[in-house]
Amino acid sequence: MAAEPEILDELRRLRSRVPYLTGALAASVDGLVLAQDTPGVEPDGMAALTAAALGVAVRLTDATGQGDFRELTVRGAYGYVATYAAGRTAVLTLLAQDRVNAGRLHLEGRRAGTRIGEFLDSRTPAEAPVTAKPARAPARTRAARPPRTTNARTSTDS
Protein backbone atom coordinates (compact mmCIF):
# COMPACT_ATOMS: atom_id res chain seq x y z
CA MET A 1 0.00 0.00 0.00
CA ALA A 2 1.42 3.41 -0.93
CA ALA A 3 1.88 5.76 1.99
CA GLU A 4 -0.35 8.81 2.11
CA PRO A 5 1.96 11.83 1.58
CA GLU A 6 0.00 14.02 4.03
CA ILE A 7 0.25 11.40 6.76
CA LEU A 8 3.93 10.78 6.11
CA ASP A 9 4.61 14.54 6.32
CA GLU A 10 2.79 14.65 9.67
CA LEU A 11 4.89 11.76 10.99
CA ARG A 12 8.11 13.47 9.95
CA ARG A 13 7.05 16.79 11.50
CA LEU A 14 6.15 14.93 14.69
CA ARG A 15 9.58 13.30 14.85
CA SER A 16 11.23 16.72 14.46
CA ARG A 17 9.07 18.24 17.26
CA VAL A 18 9.63 15.55 19.90
CA PRO A 19 13.21 14.88 21.02
CA TYR A 20 13.99 11.19 21.58
CA LEU A 21 11.09 10.04 19.42
CA THR A 22 12.54 7.12 17.47
CA GLY A 23 9.63 6.02 15.29
CA ALA A 24 6.10 6.82 14.17
CA LEU A 25 3.54 4.72 12.36
CA ALA A 26 -0.02 5.33 11.21
CA ALA A 27 -2.05 2.18 10.68
CA SER A 28 -5.62 1.18 10.05
CA VAL A 29 -7.43 -0.40 12.99
CA ASP A 30 -7.07 -3.79 11.32
CA GLY A 31 -3.27 -3.55 11.14
CA LEU A 32 -2.50 -2.22 7.65
CA VAL A 33 0.32 0.34 7.41
CA LEU A 34 -0.89 3.72 6.13
CA ALA A 35 2.44 5.53 6.55
CA GLN A 36 5.55 4.90 8.60
CA ASP A 37 8.79 6.48 9.72
CA THR A 38 10.22 3.65 11.81
CA PRO A 39 13.93 3.11 11.14
CA GLY A 40 15.10 -0.24 12.48
CA VAL A 41 11.58 -1.55 13.16
CA GLU A 42 9.60 -3.74 10.77
CA PRO A 43 6.45 -1.65 10.10
CA ASP A 44 4.09 -4.48 9.08
CA GLY A 45 4.77 -6.38 12.30
CA MET A 46 4.43 -3.21 14.35
CA ALA A 47 1.09 -2.42 12.69
CA ALA A 48 -0.18 -5.95 13.37
CA LEU A 49 0.87 -5.76 17.03
CA THR A 50 -0.73 -2.33 17.31
CA ALA A 51 -4.02 -3.76 16.01
CA ALA A 52 -3.84 -6.60 18.55
CA ALA A 53 -3.11 -4.18 21.42
CA LEU A 54 -5.90 -1.91 20.20
CA GLY A 55 -8.37 -4.78 20.36
CA VAL A 56 -7.45 -5.46 23.98
CA ALA A 57 -7.51 -1.74 24.88
CA VAL A 58 -10.97 -1.29 23.32
CA ARG A 59 -12.29 -4.28 25.27
CA LEU A 60 -10.73 -2.99 28.46
CA THR A 61 -12.23 0.49 28.13
CA ASP A 62 -15.63 -1.02 27.29
CA ALA A 63 -15.55 -3.51 30.16
CA THR A 64 -14.62 -0.85 32.69
CA GLY A 65 -17.06 1.77 31.43
CA GLN A 66 -14.34 4.24 30.47
CA GLY A 67 -15.84 5.14 27.08
CA ASP A 68 -14.27 5.07 23.64
CA PHE A 69 -10.58 4.28 23.21
CA ARG A 70 -8.31 7.33 23.20
CA GLU A 71 -4.76 6.12 23.89
CA LEU A 72 -2.59 3.32 25.19
CA THR A 73 0.89 3.73 26.66
CA VAL A 74 3.37 0.96 27.40
CA ARG A 75 6.64 1.72 29.15
CA GLY A 76 9.49 -0.71 28.86
CA ALA A 77 12.99 -0.64 30.33
CA TYR A 78 14.30 1.29 27.33
CA GLY A 79 11.38 3.49 26.37
CA TYR A 80 7.76 3.98 25.43
CA VAL A 81 5.27 2.66 22.91
CA ALA A 82 2.28 4.99 22.76
CA THR A 83 -0.79 4.47 20.58
CA TYR A 84 -3.38 7.19 19.96
CA ALA A 85 -6.75 7.13 18.23
CA ALA A 86 -6.58 8.76 14.80
CA GLY A 87 -10.15 9.22 13.66
CA ARG A 88 -12.63 6.43 13.12
CA THR A 89 -10.43 4.05 11.14
CA ALA A 90 -6.81 4.52 12.20
CA VAL A 91 -4.31 4.73 15.02
CA LEU A 92 -0.97 6.43 15.49
CA THR A 93 1.80 4.50 17.25
CA LEU A 94 4.93 6.25 18.51
CA LEU A 95 8.21 4.81 19.77
CA ALA A 96 10.37 6.86 22.11
CA GLN A 97 13.47 6.47 24.22
CA ASP A 98 13.09 6.31 27.99
CA ARG A 99 14.46 9.85 28.39
CA VAL A 100 11.64 11.41 26.33
CA ASN A 101 9.50 14.02 28.05
CA ALA A 102 6.36 11.90 28.48
CA GLY A 103 4.10 14.95 28.72
CA ARG A 104 5.45 16.28 25.43
CA LEU A 105 5.09 12.84 23.86
CA HIS A 106 1.41 12.71 24.83
CA LEU A 107 0.68 16.30 23.85
CA GLU A 108 2.22 15.98 20.39
CA GLY A 109 0.95 12.43 19.88
CA ARG A 110 -2.64 13.44 20.63
CA ARG A 111 -2.42 16.44 18.31
CA ALA A 112 -0.89 14.41 15.48
CA GLY A 113 -3.50 11.67 15.96
CA THR A 114 -6.24 14.27 15.68
CA ARG A 115 -4.76 15.76 12.49
CA ILE A 116 -4.29 12.34 10.89
CA GLY A 117 -7.82 11.34 11.89
CA GLU A 118 -9.28 14.53 10.42
CA PHE A 119 -7.47 13.90 7.15
CA LEU A 120 -8.62 10.29 6.93
CA ASP A 121 -12.19 10.95 8.09
CA SER A 122 -12.61 13.82 5.60
CA ARG A 123 -11.95 11.60 2.59
CA THR A 124 -14.93 10.52 0.57
CA PRO A 125 -16.05 6.90 1.01
CA ALA A 126 -14.71 6.01 -2.44
CA GLU A 127 -11.22 7.13 -1.37
CA ALA A 128 -11.29 5.60 2.09
CA PRO A 129 -9.48 2.32 2.62
CA VAL A 130 -11.58 -0.68 3.54
CA THR A 131 -10.99 -1.36 7.21
CA ALA A 132 -12.66 -3.37 9.89
CA LYS A 133 -13.18 -2.28 13.44
CA PRO A 134 -11.37 -4.37 16.01
CA ALA A 135 -13.52 -7.04 17.58
CA ARG A 136 -15.42 -5.50 20.46
CA ALA A 137 -16.87 -7.13 23.47
CA PRO A 138 -20.59 -6.55 23.95
CA ALA A 139 -21.36 -3.32 25.75
CA ARG A 140 -21.94 -3.79 29.43
CA THR A 141 -24.02 -1.65 31.68
CA ARG A 142 -22.79 -0.85 35.13
CA ALA A 143 -24.96 -2.03 37.97
CA ALA A 144 -25.30 0.13 41.03
CA ARG A 145 -23.09 -1.04 43.86
CA PRO A 146 -24.63 -1.74 47.23
CA PRO A 147 -23.59 0.74 49.91
CA ARG A 148 -20.44 -0.18 51.81
CA THR A 149 -20.72 -0.93 55.48
CA THR A 150 -18.02 -0.05 57.94
CA ASN A 151 -16.83 -2.29 60.75
CA ALA A 152 -18.74 -5.27 59.38
CA ARG A 153 -18.04 -8.42 61.32
CA THR A 154 -17.82 -11.84 59.82
CA SER A 155 -17.77 -13.82 63.05
CA THR A 156 -19.60 -13.57 66.36
CA ASP A 157 -18.02 -11.82 69.31
CA SER A 158 -17.18 -13.93 72.33
Side-chain angles (χ1 to χ4, degrees):
M1 169 181 279
E4 297 283 350
E6 297 88 352
I7 298 173
L8 192 54
D9 287 345
E10 181 63 37
L11 298 182
R12 289 182 178 143
R13 285 192 304 271
L14 179 62
R15 291 218 32 217
S16 71
R17 287 191 308 267
V18 181
Y20 308 112
L21 188 64
T22 59
L25 173 129
S28 65
V29 294
D30 57 352
L32 298 176
V33 176
L34 301 174
Q36 59 91 17
D37 185 10
T38 57
V41 176
E42 200 278 309
D44 291 325
M46 187 171 143
L49 287 170
T50 295
L54 175 64
V56 172
V58 166
R59 287 185 182 134
L60 185 60
T61 57
D62 283 349
T64 58
Q66 301 303 315
D68 292 336
F69 169 80
R70 295 286 186 254
E71 61 191 60
L72 170 69
T73 305
V74 177
R75 183 175 182 207
Y78 304 117
Y80 294 87
V81 179
T83 299
Y84 304 92
R88 296 183 309 268
T89 61
V91 291
L92 169 66
T93 296
L94 305 178
L95 306 175
Q97 295 175 3
D98 189 48
R99 56 189 177 170
V100 73
N101 178 323
R104 179 82 182 265
L105 175 70
H106 290 310
L107 176 69
E108 297 292 348
R110 290 170 186 147
R111 288 178 177 170
T114 298
R115 284 190 289 272
I116 291 168
E118 287 170 351
F119 167 73
L120 292 172
D121 291 347
S122 70
R123 297 184 337 176
T124 62
E127 297 172 329
V130 176
T131 60
K133 285 190 164 191
R136 295 177 63 132
R140 299 171 82 187
T141 58
R142 296 182 78 170
R145 291 184 183 178
R148 290 187 178 185
T149 58
T150 56
N151 297 327
R153 300 193 186 265
T154 57
S155 61
T156 59
D157 291 329
S158 319

